[in-house]
Amino acid sequence: MYIPILLAVVIVCGIGLAMMTDKQKSAAKEEPKPEVVQRNPFADVPDEKAPERKGGGGGSSKYNFVSKAPEGLANNENWRAALKIAAEGEKLFEEATQAKAAGDTATLNDKGRQAREKLTSAVEMTAVWEEELIEKYGDANLDVREIKRTRSGWIDKMRWLHKSSAL
């Protein structure tokens, strides 16, 4: 009973809505649309340019990998003495690492202490010299880099010994 009446109301409302939207569309067609102006927000920003390459191939001496240090830089007397001491320290370091692997704490502590003393001595003997080399020839120099790498290895071993063995 109510379904046919409800259906008739929905149909009448739909027809009314369609007529209203049709009138709105025809009214919208009659009104002129304002022109939309596209504005570039980056108009005042200058165009990008690739960086200019400077002439020559030398560049900064800090980043120049051509060796400028004198030949035989590693033949320094103090450096050779430090290498001998460090070699003894590295041998003791190996013995300490083997003792740690074996669980022998007493040997680890004894060999570790001796190794740390030798390596510390070698590092201290060459610290100022390394800084002077870096200042004079730059850290990009191949000989200076090799010296730095060797000393860094000693320092890494000292750190391991400091963490792994007792004084």
Side-chain angles (χ1 to χ4, degrees), residues 110-163:
D110 182 48
K111 299 295 182 179
R113 181 186 48 76
Q114 292 175 33
R116 193 170 48 240
E117 288 173 0
K118 298 274 186 185
L119 292 171
T120 301
S121 177
V123 167
E124 289 174 353
M125 288 173 63
T126 58
V128 174
W129 180 64
E130 179 190 11
E131 288 178 14
E132 290 171 354
L133 291 176
I134 291 171
E135 185 178 315
K136 193 171 185 178
Y137 304 114
D139 61 350
N141 180 279
L142 297 175
D143 293 332
V144 175
R145 288 170 64 179
E146 182 61 32
I147 291 166
K148 277 182 62 175
R149 182 175 42 230
T150 302
R151 289 188 76 252
S152 294
W154 298 343
I155 293 168
D156 290 342
K157 288 175 180 157
M158 288 168 44
R159 283 187 193 122
W160 186 89
L161 290 165
H162 180 71
K163 293 177 184 177

Side-chain angles (χ1 to χ4, degrees), residues 84-103:
K84 278 184 181 179
I85 293 170
E88 294 169 11
E90 288 175 332
K91 183 176 182 251
L92 292 165
F93 173 82
E94 291 301 320
E95 293 174 13
T97 55
Q98 290 170 359
K100 179 164 176 86

